[in-house]
Amino acid sequence: MSVRKDIRITIFPNKPFQKYTETILNQIETFERKNFPKNEAMAIKKEVSKRTNTLLIAYYEQDILKEQNTQKLKSTSKLNGNQEKGSNKPNKVITKEIILVGYIIYSNISSTQMPVTRILKLCVHHSFRGIGLGEKLLRSVLERMDVPKRSNADLHVDVERTVAINLYKKVGFNIIKRIVDYYEVGRDAWLMEFIN
């Protein structure tokens, strides 16, 4: 697999991406359906609209060549300038498309002692796994929220998802306790906290 060097991370929604909002949200919903059990798929539009939640997306831009039919006028006589409708001719137009490759949703939870940054969801497209993108998204959140100086951080992860658990450990999260039946009966989660 060739690694793209033009992958960027940004907060979403934002003004420059306003015209892509629906497309990006649809891509995230597709990720949710393909990567998580039905009972774990988030209602993304609802989650993004919450004041305490923030969404970071990893993406790249791609130029797409599209054909648009335009009505051309055909001149019948060069001398008198009479014109009649001609055939529709395809006109090639280059448009920019945003291709989502990963995202992370986190929430800022107030606390009497220190705020908590809770990682709610991390997902990387299967074609872009193993290149450090999940780690980059996690570190972006920790940096943005100034963890551990101004905020603690935690998350829940299925005890069976060893790849995710190892990623979280690599970034600095430690297992605190097992929560029985967290996802559903028979599916437990680890509560993990960021320890610097």
Side-chain angles (χ1 to χ4, degrees):
M1 169 182 57
S2 64
V3 178
R4 294 193 69 99
K5 299 198 184 312
D6 58 343
I7 294 175
R8 293 182 231 152
I9 295 175
T10 189
I11 286 183
F12 181 82
N14 61 34
K15 198 158 182 113
F17 281 40
Q18 200 166 16
K19 69 180 182 179
Y20 303 107
T21 298
E22 208 54 42
T23 303
I24 291 169
L25 290 174
N26 288 340
Q27 288 180 63
I28 293 172
E29 287 173 348
T30 300
F31 273 44
E32 287 285 311
R33 283 191 305 274
K34 288 184 176 182
N35 291 288
F36 299 100
K38 196 173 188 173
N39 64 324
E40 290 177 43
M42 285 185 150
I44 294 301
K45 291 176 186 172
K46 180 181 172 189
E47 292 300 322
V48 170
S49 69
K50 292 179 182 176
R51 282 184 329 132
T52 56
N53 289 356
T54 303
L55 169 65
L56 294 182
I57 60 169
Y59 70 96
Y60 65 89
E61 294 179 6
Q62 182 172 311
D63 290 335
I64 304 291
L65 187 62
K66 291 187 176 180
E67 288 188 1
Q68 291 182 337
N69 285 330
T70 54
Q71 189 76 30
K72 298 271 184 181
L73 295 178
K74 181 168 64 174
S75 180
T76 56
S77 167
K78 289 188 179 183
L79 293 175
N80 65 15
N82 291 340
Q83 294 180 334
E84 64 182 48
K85 285 188 177 179
S87 62
N88 286 343
K89 292 191 177 184
N91 185 20
K92 296 185 191 262
V93 177
I94 295 177
T95 61
K96 201 165 286 294
E97 199 169 284
I98 301 298
I99 309 297
L100 187 77
V101 295
Y103 59 93
I104 189 166
I105 301 172
Y106 62 96
S107 187
N108 188 21
I109 301 166
S110 297
S111 171
T112 53
Q113 298 168 5
M114 186 181 267
V116 175
T117 298
R118 175 147 307 140
I119 307 299
L120 302 175
K121 183 74 65 119
L122 171 64
C123 187
V124 175
H125 188 280
H126 64 87
S127 299
F128 291 85
R129 291 181 184 159
I131 61 169
L133 190 54
E135 180 180 347
K136 195 172 180 181
L137 283 162
L138 274 167
R139 291 193 188 280
S140 293
V141 170
L142 298 174
E143 186 179 305
R144 285 180 157 299
M145 299 308 293
D146 205 8
V147 173
K149 292 178 188 165
R150 296 196 176 149
S151 174
N152 292 322
D154 67 15
L155 57 84
H156 296 92
V157 61
D158 188 315
V159 296
E160 301 295 322
R161 294 193 178 196
T162 53
V163 173
I165 293 164
N166 290 336
L167 168 63
Y168 299 141
K169 284 180 177 178
K170 179 181 179 182
V171 172
F173 286 85
N174 289 323
I175 294 172
I176 302 302
K177 67 179 178 179
R178 186 180 194 120
I179 303 173
V180 177
D181 299 335
Y182 179 81
Y183 293 102
E184 61 185 27
V185 175
R187 281 192 63 218
D188 300 348
W190 293 122
L191 169 62
M192 298 183 79
E193 289 181 358
F194 182 82
I195 311 290
N196 193 11

